[in-house]
């Protein structure tokens, strides 16, 4: 697949700005297995492999546990773990694709998949999966999402590890004290956000995500309120539909009115920590932070429920990316890298990982384990996705430019919207223009 001029230019900029990241990768002990164009080698199936975790810090402990299990079962393979924060992962991989230093295996979720595969950095995994003990054991929907996200030709470049879903967490103790109903609709959500706020006492109804990762949460709020069920209307995106503009205006107006001022720069770790330690009524995040809330608050002071229902009486939400693991094509030890993926997504290890992460397992046998019904948000999220109450707006993960458009290109502008320095309409019109151009380019390249 040819690389677009825009994408090549972006990669070149990433190299220029990312030299520090490349040095950091070397400092972490990366063996410099190669760059995006290298063909790599199957290797002996033994020796050392380097694994890059795409959610380092948050998932470091559970990955180290899985690695220890793997090395016990495979004493002739040593896995070097490198944890990379989710907000830095794409830029670090892009830098290594251009300049060298890619790992053997790493986290490759749906949102980043098209960009990496378009640069010829990932090993196709269809054949390996068909010959594997995993064949027929993985959730077909998750596999399908990753195939669709790979760039359009249906090749599987990543083996799913988990699925996530948006959750509205709320403080049951604060709602009860204020005499509020559960925030099951957007009207009840806004009512609660207002009633639970007393800024003089440092009490707020909601915490909004203004830092890294803010766009996905904003899209969820927009489509949830507008009830629009498709990301595209023909070849034009619906993000700047007047109903979505109105939804974003109402949502962004919450900032500093019923939220802390610090929210402007908060990524999910800061937002979650703030909610867990304070007296904030509600938090939009996903299943991944459930265990953090349990540790901080116990199970009696909060609930995690599916996203609010809109005026249409239906729940509409944007798709949350499926996470997975991929083998980088430049690896000199692909056989050992694949063995690690097979092990990590086996029933026992996949269950262990997702129990710690609070997410839905990709391994069908792991998905039957008892802990899922015991983790209420996971149970409710799974039900909401299968009982007909929820319509999913599928995000265009297949666009190589998607992750950049939905993060680096527009997060600073969203902060301007929160501050009142940019209108919601101008923000969404800008994003729509980028998306429409990326869609046209993708269609031209893929027929």
């Amino acid at each position: 697949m040819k690389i677009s001029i825009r994408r090549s230019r972006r990669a070149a900029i990433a190299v220029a700005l990312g030299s520090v990241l490349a040095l950091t990768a070397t400092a972490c002990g990366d063996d410099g297995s190669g760059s995006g164009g290298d063909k790599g080698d199957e290797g002996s199936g033994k020796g050392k492999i380097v694994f890059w975790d795409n959610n380092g810090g948050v998932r470091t402990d559970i990955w180290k546990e899985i690695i220890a299990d793997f090395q016990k079962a495979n004493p002739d393979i040593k896995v070097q773990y490198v944890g990379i924060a989710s907000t830095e992962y794409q830029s670090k991989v892009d830098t290594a694709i251009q300049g060298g230093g890619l790992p053997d295996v790493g986290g490759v979720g749906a949102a980043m998949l098209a960009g990496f595969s378009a640069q010829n950095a990932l090993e196709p995994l269809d054949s390996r999966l068909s010959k594997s003990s995993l064949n027929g054991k993985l959730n077909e929907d998750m596999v399908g999402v990753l195939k669709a996200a790979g760039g359009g030709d249906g090749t599987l470049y990543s083996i799913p590890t988990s699925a996530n879903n948006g959750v509205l967490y709320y403080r049951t103790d604060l709602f009860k004290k204020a005499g509020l109903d559960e925030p099951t609709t957007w009207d009840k959500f806004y009512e609660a956000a207002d009633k639970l706020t007393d800024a003089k006492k440092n009490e707020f109804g909601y915490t909004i995500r203004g830092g890294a990762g803010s766009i996905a949460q904003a899209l969820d709020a927009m489509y949830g309120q507008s009830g629009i069920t498709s990301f595209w209307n023909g070849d034009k995106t619906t993000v700047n539909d007047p109903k979505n503009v109105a939804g974003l205006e109402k949502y962004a107006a919450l900032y500093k009115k019923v939220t802390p001022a610090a929210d402007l720069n908060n990524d999910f770790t800061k937002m979650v920590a703030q909610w867990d330690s304070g007296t904030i009524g509600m938090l939009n995040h996903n299943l991944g932070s459930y265990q953090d809330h349990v540790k901080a608050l116990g199970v009696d002071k909060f609930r995690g429920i599916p996203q609010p229902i809109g005026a249409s009486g239906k729940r509409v939400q944007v798709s949350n990316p499926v996470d997975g693991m991929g083998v980088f094509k430049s690896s000199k030890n692909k056989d050992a890298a694949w063995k690690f993926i097979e092990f990590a997504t086996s029933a026992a290890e996949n269950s262990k990982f997702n129990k710690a992460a609070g997410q839905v397992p990709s391994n069908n046998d792991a998905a039957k384990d008892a802990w899922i019904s015991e983790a209420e948000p996971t149970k409710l999220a799974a039900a909401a996705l299968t009982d007909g109450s929820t319509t999913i707006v599928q995000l265009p993960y297949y666009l190589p430019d998607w992750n950049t458009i939905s993060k680096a290109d527009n997060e600073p502008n969203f902060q301007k919207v929160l501050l009142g320095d940019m209108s919601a309409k101008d923000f969404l019109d800008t994003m729509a223009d980028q998306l429409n151009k990326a869609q046209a380019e993708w269609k031209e390249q893929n027929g």
Side-chain angles (χ1 to χ4, degrees):
M1 181 183 295
K2 72 176 183 178
I3 308 299
S4 71
I5 293 173
R6 179 184 177 204
R7 202 151 60 246
S8 297
R9 183 168 64 248
R10 190 176 69 243
I13 293 171
V15 171
L17 296 179
S19 57
V20 174
L21 292 173
L23 292 171
T24 304
T26 304
C28 290
D30 177 23
D31 65 354
S33 61
S35 57
D38 293 349
K39 293 182 179 179
D41 195 84
E42 284 298 305
S44 65
K46 300 178 181 180
K48 174 186 168 184
I49 57 172
V50 176
F51 166 56
W52 282 10
D53 174 11
N54 61 348
N55 203 357
V58 178
R59 304 282 177 253
T60 296
D61 289 345
I62 186 59
W63 272 121
K64 287 191 173 181
E65 188 176 331
I66 290 171
I67 288 169
D69 291 346
F70 175 74
Q71 291 182 156
K72 185 177 181 180
N74 298 271
D76 51 0
I77 302 175
K78 177 176 174 55
V79 180
Q80 180 181 330
Y81 171 87
V82 180
I84 301 171
S86 60
T87 53
E88 300 174 3
Y89 191 76
Q90 182 186 1
S91 60
K92 179 166 279 193
V93 173
D94 280 339
T95 299
I97 288 172
Q98 299 300 315
L102 284 167
D104 299 280
V105 59
V108 183
M112 299 182 187
L113 190 50
F116 295 164
S117 65
Q119 296 177 78
N120 199 31
L122 297 171
E123 180 79 1
L125 300 177
D126 299 87
S127 178
R128 295 177 195 269
L129 178 59
S130 68
K131 301 171 186 175
S132 166
S133 59
L134 291 174
N135 192 32
K137 295 288 188 180
L138 299 176
N139 182 289
E140 290 183 6
D141 289 337
M142 296 188 204
V143 172
V145 166
L146 292 180
K147 282 188 174 184
D153 63 357
T155 301
L156 183 66
Y157 293 105
S158 180
I159 299 299
T161 55
S162 56
N164 215 332
N165 200 42
V167 177
L168 178 59
Y169 294 102
Y170 74 98
R171 289 285 298 271
T172 50
D173 54 343
L174 300 181
F175 270 68
K176 183 177 180 180
K177 183 178 179 181
L180 288 164
D181 291 337
E182 188 173 57
T184 52
T185 68
W186 282 100
D187 285 344
K188 290 180 179 179
F189 164 83
Y190 282 111
E191 178 190 357
D194 184 62
K195 193 167 183 178
L196 291 172
T197 297
D198 187 340
K200 293 179 181 178
K201 295 182 180 179
N202 202 35
E203 296 173 353
F204 298 95
Y206 185 59
T207 175
I208 198 169
R209 187 167 179 170
S214 60
I215 304 302
Q217 189 177 90
L219 290 173
D220 236 352
M222 287 161 40
Y223 282 92
Q225 293 175 84
S226 73
I228 295 170
T229 58
S230 176
F231 196 80
W232 300 103
N233 181 7
D235 290 330
K236 301 297 182 182
T237 180
T238 58
V239 294
N240 61 337
D241 183 283
K243 291 181 180 179
N244 276 333
V245 173
L248 185 61
E249 286 173 345
K250 190 171 184 179
Y251 183 71
L254 294 173
Y255 176 63
K256 285 182 73 173
K257 180 182 176 184
V258 299
T259 80
D263 282 357
L264 182 69
N265 296 303
N266 279 356
D267 59 13
F268 85 90
T269 53
K270 293 175 183 174
M271 182 178 68
V272 167
Q274 179 176 263
W275 192 72
D276 286 346
S277 63
T279 54
I280 300 173
M282 294 177 291
L283 160 76
N284 269 116
H285 191 230
N286 56 47
L287 297 169
S289 58
Y290 173 68
Q291 295 296 341
D292 294 321
H293 309 321
V294 171
K295 290 176 185 176
L297 302 169
V299 295
D300 298 328
K301 291 185 178 180
F302 81 98
R303 284 192 81 196
I305 61 175
Q307 299 283 39
I309 292 170
S312 67
K314 292 278 287 184
R315 179 182 298 107
V316 177
Q317 62 185 66
V318 300
S319 53
N320 279 275
V322 173
D323 206 2
M325 300 173 70
V327 175
F328 286 94
K329 187 173 287 188
S330 60
S331 170
K332 303 298 191 295
N333 202 350
K334 295 176 187 177
D335 187 36
W338 173 252
K339 286 179 182 177
F340 180 57
I341 290 178
E342 274 189 310
F343 185 87
T345 48
S346 65
E349 301 300 319
N350 190 240
S351 180
K352 183 183 294 186
F353 174 83
N354 282 286
K355 183 177 182 180
Q359 297 177 356
V360 180
S362 61
N363 188 295
N364 292 326
D365 292 332
K368 299 172 185 174
D369 286 355
W371 66 264
I372 292 178
S373 62
E374 295 166 3
E376 187 189 35
T378 304
K379 180 181 178 181
L380 292 176
L385 293 175
T386 58
D387 65 7
S389 66
T390 304
T391 301
I392 302 295
V393 177
Q394 295 295 340
L395 298 177
Y397 298 127
Y398 59 86
L399 293 178
D401 290 334
W402 165 252
N403 217 40
T404 300
I405 291 171
S406 63
K407 293 183 183 293
D409 282 0
N410 284 290
E411 287 175 350
N413 281 347
F414 182 66
Q415 290 182 319
K416 291 180 182 179
V417 175
L418 294 180
L419 291 169
D421 296 333
M422 187 178 196
S423 72
K425 185 178 187 305
D426 286 347
F427 167 72
L428 292 175
D429 282 346
T430 299
M431 190 174 179
D433 184 58
Q434 295 168 336
L435 286 163
N436 292 337
K437 287 178 180 177
Q439 174 77 349
E441 180 183 274
W442 181 85
K443 290 195 76 170
E444 181 182 351
Q445 292 178 351
N446 292 274

mmCIF file of all heavy atoms in Angstrom, residues 414-434:
data_model
loop_
_atom_site.group_PDB
_atom_site.id
_atom_site.type_symbol
_atom_site.label_atom_id
_atom_site.label_comp_id
_atom_site.label_asym_id
_atom_site.label_seq_id
_atom_site.Cartn_x
_atom_site.Cartn_y
_atom_site.Cartn_z
ATOM 1 N N PHE A 414 -9.724 21.237 21.299
ATOM 2 C CA PHE A 414 -10.794 20.960 22.254
ATOM 3 C C PHE A 414 -10.583 21.750 23.543
ATOM 4 O O PHE A 414 -11.541 22.238 24.153
ATOM 5 C CB PHE A 414 -10.887 19.462 22.556
ATOM 6 C CG PHE A 414 -12.008 19.112 23.495
ATOM 7 C CD1 PHE A 414 -13.328 19.285 23.108
ATOM 8 C CD2 PHE A 414 -11.751 18.632 24.774
ATOM 9 C CE1 PHE A 414 -14.384 18.977 23.979
ATOM 10 C CE2 PHE A 414 -12.788 18.314 25.648
ATOM 11 C CZ PHE A 414 -14.107 18.493 25.245
ATOM 12 N N GLN A 415 -9.327 21.914 23.945
ATOM 13 C CA GLN A 415 -9.046 22.735 25.116
ATOM 14 C C GLN A 415 -9.477 24.184 24.879
ATOM 15 O O GLN A 415 -9.973 24.852 25.785
ATOM 16 C CB GLN A 415 -7.559 22.670 25.463
ATOM 17 C CG GLN A 415 -7.136 21.310 26.007
ATOM 18 C CD GLN A 415 -5.665 21.271 26.386
ATOM 19 O OE1 GLN A 415 -4.817 21.807 25.681
ATOM 20 N NE2 GLN A 415 -5.368 20.628 27.507
ATOM 21 N N LYS A 416 -9.314 24.648 23.635
ATOM 22 C CA LYS A 416 -9.770 26.009 23.303
ATOM 23 C C LYS A 416 -11.289 26.111 23.420
ATOM 24 O O LYS A 416 -11.813 27.140 23.843
ATOM 25 C CB LYS A 416 -9.328 26.373 21.888
ATOM 26 C CG LYS A 416 -7.828 26.551 21.723
ATOM 27 C CD LYS A 416 -7.479 26.914 20.290
ATOM 28 C CE LYS A 416 -5.983 27.053 20.106
ATOM 29 N NZ LYS A 416 -5.627 27.375 18.692
ATOM 30 N N VAL A 417 -11.990 25.041 23.038
ATOM 31 C CA VAL A 417 -13.447 25.030 23.175
ATOM 32 C C VAL A 417 -13.829 25.135 24.651
ATOM 33 O O VAL A 417 -14.717 25.910 25.027
ATOM 34 C CB VAL A 417 -14.054 23.755 22.549
ATOM 35 C CG1 VAL A 417 -15.560 23.695 22.814
ATOM 36 C CG2 VAL A 417 -13.791 23.723 21.050
ATOM 37 N N LEU A 418 -13.164 24.354 25.500
ATOM 38 C CA LEU A 418 -13.457 24.396 26.938
ATOM 39 C C LEU A 418 -13.210 25.788 27.512
ATOM 40 O O LEU A 418 -13.968 26.255 28.372
ATOM 41 C CB LEU A 418 -12.605 23.371 27.679
ATOM 42 C CG LEU A 418 -12.867 21.888 27.377
ATOM 43 C CD1 LEU A 418 -11.935 21.010 28.192
ATOM 44 C CD2 LEU A 418 -14.320 21.514 27.652
ATOM 45 N N LEU A 419 -12.172 26.454 27.021
ATOM 46 C CA LEU A 419 -11.823 27.785 27.533
ATOM 47 C C LEU A 419 -12.672 28.892 26.925
ATOM 48 O O LEU A 419 -12.581 30.052 27.343
ATOM 49 C CB LEU A 419 -10.337 28.068 27.254
ATOM 50 C CG LEU A 419 -9.337 27.224 28.058
ATOM 51 C CD1 LEU A 419 -7.932 27.399 27.489
ATOM 52 C CD2 LEU A 419 -9.373 27.608 29.532
ATOM 53 N N GLY A 420 -13.481 28.550 25.914
ATOM 54 C CA GLY A 420 -14.299 29.557 25.252
ATOM 55 C C GLY A 420 -13.569 30.320 24.173
ATOM 56 O O GLY A 420 -14.053 31.351 23.684
ATOM 57 N N ASP A 421 -12.370 29.847 23.779
ATOM 58 C CA ASP A 421 -11.573 30.527 22.765
ATOM 59 C C ASP A 421 -11.861 30.026 21.350
ATOM 60 O O ASP A 421 -11.316 30.546 20.379
ATOM 61 C CB ASP A 421 -10.078 30.350 23.056
ATOM 62 C CG ASP A 421 -9.662 31.003 24.362
ATOM 63 O OD1 ASP A 421 -10.340 31.975 24.762
ATOM 64 O OD2 ASP A 421 -8.685 30.546 24.980
ATOM 65 N N MET A 422 -12.686 28.989 21.225
ATOM 66 C CA MET A 422 -13.048 28.430 19.932
ATOM 67 C C MET A 422 -14.464 27.880 20.056
ATOM 68 O O MET A 422 -14.810 27.272 21.074
ATOM 69 C CB MET A 422 -12.070 27.317 19.536
ATOM 70 C CG MET A 422 -12.240 26.769 18.137
ATOM 71 S SD MET A 422 -10.970 25.498 17.784
ATOM 72 C CE MET A 422 -11.099 25.392 15.991
ATOM 73 N N SER A 423 -15.267 28.091 19.049
ATOM 74 C CA SER A 423 -16.641 27.597 19.118
ATOM 75 C C SER A 423 -16.674 26.098 18.850
ATOM 76 O O SER A 423 -15.804 25.548 18.167
ATOM 77 C CB SER A 423 -17.526 28.318 18.112
ATOM 78 O OG SER A 423 -17.220 27.910 16.782
ATOM 79 N N ALA A 424 -17.683 25.423 19.373
ATOM 80 C CA ALA A 424 -17.858 23.997 19.113
ATOM 81 C C ALA A 424 -18.017 23.746 17.619
ATOM 82 O O ALA A 424 -17.502 22.762 17.085
ATOM 83 C CB ALA A 424 -19.067 23.470 19.880
ATOM 84 N N LYS A 425 -18.704 24.660 16.928
ATOM 85 C CA LYS A 425 -18.916 24.501 15.487
ATOM 86 C C LYS A 425 -17.600 24.587 14.724
ATOM 87 O O LYS A 425 -17.318 23.753 13.842
ATOM 88 C CB LYS A 425 -19.890 25.552 14.963
ATOM 89 C CG LYS A 425 -20.242 25.366 13.479
ATOM 90 C CD LYS A 425 -21.244 26.398 13.015
ATOM 91 C CE LYS A 425 -21.710 26.104 11.577
ATOM 92 N NZ LYS A 425 -20.595 26.001 10.617
ATOM 93 N N ASP A 426 -16.768 25.572 15.030
ATOM 94 C CA ASP A 426 -15.483 25.705 14.344
ATOM 95 C C ASP A 426 -14.595 24.487 14.623
ATOM 96 O O ASP A 426 -13.893 23.997 13.727
ATOM 97 C CB ASP A 426 -14.766 26.982 14.785
ATOM 98 C CG ASP A 426 -15.401 28.243 14.192
ATOM 99 O OD1 ASP A 426 -16.213 28.100 13.259
ATOM 100 O OD2 ASP A 426 -15.076 29.345 14.670
ATOM 101 N N PHE A 427 -14.613 24.030 15.853
ATOM 102 C CA PHE A 427 -13.838 22.848 16.220
ATOM 103 C C PHE A 427 -14.265 21.636 15.403
ATOM 104 O O PHE A 427 -13.433 20.924 14.817
ATOM 105 C CB PHE A 427 -14.011 22.574 17.723
ATOM 106 C CG PHE A 427 -13.518 21.235 18.168
ATOM 107 C CD1 PHE A 427 -12.169 20.953 18.240
ATOM 108 C CD2 PHE A 427 -14.421 20.233 18.518
ATOM 109 C CE1 PHE A 427 -11.718 19.699 18.651
ATOM 110 C CE2 PHE A 427 -13.993 18.983 18.925
ATOM 111 C CZ PHE A 427 -12.626 18.720 18.992
ATOM 112 N N LEU A 428 -15.553 21.385 15.343
ATOM 113 C CA LEU A 428 -16.054 20.202 14.639
ATOM 114 C C LEU A 428 -15.949 20.355 13.121
ATOM 115 O O LEU A 428 -15.716 19.372 12.414
ATOM 116 C CB LEU A 428 -17.484 19.909 15.061
ATOM 117 C CG LEU A 428 -17.642 19.447 16.508
ATOM 118 C CD1 LEU A 428 -19.107 19.291 16.874
ATOM 119 C CD2 LEU A 428 -16.889 18.136 16.753
ATOM 120 N N ASP A 429 -16.089 21.575 12.612
ATOM 121 C CA ASP A 429 -15.896 21.800 11.179
ATOM 122 C C ASP A 429 -14.448 21.509 10.773
ATOM 123 O O ASP A 429 -14.195 20.921 9.710
ATOM 124 C CB ASP A 429 -16.253 23.244 10.798
ATOM 125 C CG ASP A 429 -17.755 23.481 10.702
ATOM 126 O OD1 ASP A 429 -18.512 22.485 10.660
ATOM 127 O OD2 ASP A 429 -18.165 24.659 10.680
ATOM 128 N N THR A 430 -13.512 21.906 11.610
ATOM 129 C CA THR A 430 -12.094 21.642 11.340
ATOM 130 C C THR A 430 -11.816 20.148 11.326
ATOM 131 O O THR A 430 -11.155 19.624 10.420
ATOM 132 C CB THR A 430 -11.212 22.317 12.413
ATOM 133 O OG1 THR A 430 -11.419 23.725 12.366
ATOM 134 C CG2 THR A 430 -9.737 22.025 12.183
ATOM 135 N N MET A 431 -12.336 19.458 12.317
ATOM 136 C CA MET A 431 -12.143 18.021 12.400
ATOM 137 C C MET A 431 -12.821 17.313 11.228
ATOM 138 O O MET A 431 -12.273 16.358 10.658
ATOM 139 C CB MET A 431 -12.702 17.509 13.735
ATOM 140 C CG MET A 431 -12.360 16.068 14.047
ATOM 141 S SD MET A 431 -12.908 15.622 15.721
ATOM 142 C CE MET A 431 -12.411 13.901 15.761
ATOM 143 N N ALA A 432 -14.012 17.772 10.864
ATOM 144 C CA ALA A 432 -14.740 17.161 9.750
ATOM 145 C C ALA A 432 -13.977 17.310 8.445
ATOM 146 O O ALA A 432 -13.918 16.371 7.634
ATOM 147 C CB ALA A 432 -16.129 17.794 9.629
ATOM 148 N N ASP A 433 -13.372 18.459 8.232
ATOM 149 C CA ASP A 433 -12.598 18.680 7.011
ATOM 150 C C ASP A 433 -11.427 17.697 6.936
ATOM 151 O O ASP A 433 -11.161 17.101 5.875
ATOM 152 C CB ASP A 433 -12.090 20.125 6.985
ATOM 153 C CG ASP A 433 -11.351 20.457 5.698
ATOM 154 O OD1 ASP A 433 -11.948 20.319 4.608
ATOM 155 O OD2 ASP A 433 -10.172 20.838 5.769
ATOM 156 N N GLN A 434 -10.736 17.490 8.042
ATOM 157 C CA GLN A 434 -9.624 16.543 8.078
ATOM 158 C C GLN A 434 -10.104 15.118 7.803
ATOM 159 O O GLN A 434 -9.472 14.356 7.063
ATOM 160 C CB GLN A 434 -8.936 16.608 9.444
ATOM 161 C CG GLN A 434 -8.256 17.934 9.726
ATOM 162 C CD GLN A 434 -7.846 18.076 11.184
ATOM 163 O OE1 GLN A 434 -8.417 17.438 12.070
ATOM 164 N NE2 GLN A 434 -6.847 18.905 11.439
#
